[in-house]
Amino acid sequence: RFCVFMDKFDEYIPLGFILGFYVTQVVNRWWTQVMTIPWLDTLCMNLASYMPGVGMKNTRRLITRYAMLANILTLRRVSTSVVKRFPTYEHLVETGLMTEKEMKKLEKLDKTTEGLHATAWYPIQWAQVILRKAKENGSITSDLLFQELQKNLQDISSGNGTLLIYAWVNIPLVYTQLVTIAVHIYFFVTLFSRQYLNPTPHTQMGGPGGDYAPVPAGTPDSVNLVGYDLNIQDYYVPFFTILQFIFYFGWLKVAETLINPFGEDDDDIDANYIIDRNFQIGYLMVSAEDDDEEPEEDTYGDTIPPASLPHTVSSYKHKEHAPVLPADNLHLSEEAMMLNNPEHPVFSQLQTPKSSPRISLSLDERQNHAAIDMVIARPQALL
């Protein structure tokens, strides 16, 4: 009876909704953090384009280092692997990411805020001051270019702030516990509800109103008192229950893995690689010298490139046809494509479309119709 009871009410646990909503929220948070990670490419390319020249090389490199420093200060607060790599400001000084003077400024700011607030915005402010000075001395020739570079710095600062907020405000722990408990309880109930039962048949002794007594299986007119569905086939391996177990617990494991994308698991974001990549590629972008050589000639000269570039043998095997749109294969006869010419015999055979007849009423007739409508509508309103 207990197994039948479990089988009847196990659907009352809304596991699909609870787990699906939870995993959706976790995946959305994970992907938002991935897309929020600041990359220095846009800033560095704009620096190289808007502040060219050998004389501005050190300025470009300094702004890049400040932007990189702000990113690292943020990742130190959200990633355990980064804080293990740079546990103190001294480690940043030793790696060339910060000078002694800048370290003292940050330490003074930490003392002022008592270490309660993030200070990743401070290097961005240093970079903004440098941009303002470059604008004042004419190194940045346009207000629009100055505004664009400031926006690049603001985007990096905004991305750092978003990462800090996601690390601070997490999914409520009680919801994570609720989902975990719901999954385990559901499969605890499943251990009983999915069992194959062989209930003892009973028959009513002494006719209607008599007591039920157990009888051997196959006895005519015997009944199943526990309410078990005897039409269910017995299979040695509970195939669909195993699939449910794999799907639901796999879903839960995915959420547990993605809930902290800056951890140290194999599937987490490698923040240290991002630091290394941004720092070197950023310096390469802003350190490129102006090329005074003549531009190369176009490889196709004055000719138009072919409709399809050459393939290798390997790629040609997987070459697909050009896209075919719905109207590409529509073919019309010559008569169907003829323009409207009333003198042509084809058009004389066609009937001119008739427009719907319109009733034209005079002013008096319209007033009479309005009066009739009011008389008809009044009894209906009274009803």
Side-chain angles (χ1 to χ4, degrees), residues 368-383:
N368 293 335
H369 276 280
I372 294 174
D373 293 340
M374 292 177 62
V375 172
I376 295 175
R378 188 180 301 276
Q380 295 178 354
L382 295 176
L383 293 175

Side-chain angles (χ1 to χ4, degrees), residues 6 10 23 25 34 50 55 80 96 109 117 125 148 162 178 185 189 210 231 244 271-272 285 302 327 339 350 352 358:
M6 290 292 187
D10 62 351
V23 174
Q25 296 301 316
V34 171
Y50 302 160
T80 55
L109 183 61
H117 310 301
Q125 193 178 62
E148 181 66 21
T162 302
L178 171 65
I185 289 180
V189 173
N231 295 322
Q244 260 192 328
N272 285 314
M285 289 180 178
D302 294 333
L339 296 177
L350 300 178
T352 304
R358 296 183 179 180

Side-chain angles (χ1 to χ4, degrees), residues 268-303:
D268 289 333
I269 301 172
D270 189 358
N272 285 314
Y273 167 77
I274 296 175
I275 292 174
D276 295 336
R277 185 264 176 200
N278 277 348
F279 199 41
Q280 185 181 48
I281 298 301
Y283 263 63
L284 287 173
M285 289 180 178
V286 300
S287 300
E289 302 292 344
D290 291 340
D291 193 358
D292 296 332
E293 298 181 0
E294 293 294 330
E296 295 286 343
E297 295 183 359
D298 186 71
T299 54
Y300 285 92
D302 294 333
T303 62

Side-chain angles (χ1 to χ4, degrees), residues 64-79:
T64 301
R65 183 170 65 83
Y66 284 159
M68 192 68 235
L69 179 59
N71 194 5
I72 294 176
L73 293 178
T74 300
L75 293 176
R76 286 179 71 247
R77 301 290 300 272
V78 302
S79 174

Side-chain angles (χ1 to χ4, degrees), residues 8 28-29 63 82 121 141 198 213 220 223 232 240 258 263 309 313 317 319 328 345 350 354:
K8 184 177 181 180
N28 288 338
R29 285 174 53 89
I63 294 175
V82 175
W121 56 270
T141 58
N198 189 16
V223 295
I232 298 177
F240 288 100
L258 299 182
L309 294 176
V313 176
K317 296 178 181 179
K319 180 182 178 182
D328 290 348
L350 300 178
K354 296 182 179 180

Side-chain angles (χ1 to χ4, degrees), residues 10 65 71 116 129-130 132 164 240 243-244 249 286 296 305 318 320 343 363:
D10 62 351
R65 183 170 65 83
N71 194 5
L116 299 178
V129 172
I130 295 176
R132 178 175 54 80
L164 291 173
F240 288 100
L243 288 181
Q244 260 192 328
F249 270 97
V286 300
E296 295 286 343
H318 305 283
E320 298 182 359
E343 299 178 357
L363 178 60

Side-chain angles (χ1 to χ4, degrees), residues 208-237:
D211 297 333
Y212 285 92
V215 294
T219 302
D221 298 330
S222 60
V223 295
N224 173 18
L225 295 181
V226 297
Y228 181 71
D229 187 4
L230 297 176
N231 295 322
I232 298 177
Q233 297 295 326
D234 180 25
Y235 294 98
Y236 185 76
V237 177

Side-chain angles (χ1 to χ4, degrees), residues 34-219:
V34 171
M35 300 304 295
T36 305
I37 297 175
W39 300 88
L40 305 186
D41 298 37
T42 302
L43 172 65
C44 295
M45 288 188 291
N46 287 342
L47 286 173
S49 299
Y50 302 160
M51 301 172 61
V54 179
M56 298 302 297
K57 179 179 179 180
N58 291 334
T59 303
R60 298 194 301 266
R61 291 167 63 97
L62 185 58
I63 294 175
T64 301
R65 183 170 65 83
Y66 284 159
M68 192 68 235
L69 179 59
N71 194 5
I72 294 176
L73 293 178
T74 300
L75 293 176
R76 286 179 71 247
R77 301 290 300 272
V78 302
S79 174
T80 55
S81 60
V82 175
V83 74
K84 289 180 179 179
R85 186 180 184 182
F86 307 107
T88 62
Y89 289 156
E90 285 79 5
H91 291 81
L92 296 175
V93 174
E94 293 176 2
T95 54
L97 292 166
M98 187 167 53
T99 63
E100 292 283 348
K101 184 178 180 180
E102 294 164 355
M103 182 183 68
K104 293 179 180 179
K105 291 182 179 180
L106 282 175
E107 289 177 345
K108 182 180 179 181
L109 183 61
D110 290 338
K111 185 178 180 180
T112 302
T113 60
E114 299 180 357
L116 299 178
H117 310 301
T119 57
W121 56 270
Y122 206 13
I124 297 294
Q125 193 178 62
W126 299 342
Q128 289 179 322
V129 172
I130 295 176
L131 282 178
R132 178 175 54 80
K133 292 181 178 180
K135 177 65 173 63
E136 292 174 353
N137 60 29
S139 300
I140 301 177
T141 58
S142 170
D143 292 337
L144 182 61
L145 302 182
F146 174 74
Q147 183 179 1
E148 181 66 21
L149 291 174
Q150 290 283 6
K151 185 179 182 302
N152 295 150
L153 292 174
Q154 292 170 2
D155 291 341
I156 294 175
S157 180
S158 177
N160 292 335
T162 302
L163 292 178
L164 291 173
I165 291 176
Y166 272 100
W168 172 36
V169 183
N170 209 329
I171 293 179
L173 180 60
V174 64
Y175 192 35
T176 303
Q177 295 172 342
L178 171 65
V179 173
T180 305
I181 293 174
V183 173
H184 286 80
I185 289 180
Y186 178 82
F187 283 101
F188 175 77
V189 173
T190 302
L191 290 176
F192 298 95
S193 63
R194 304 293 173 83
Q195 291 188 20
Y196 177 76
L197 304 178
N198 189 16
T200 303
H202 290 72
T203 186
Q204 196 171 23
M205 307 301 293
D211 297 333
Y212 285 92
V215 294
T219 302

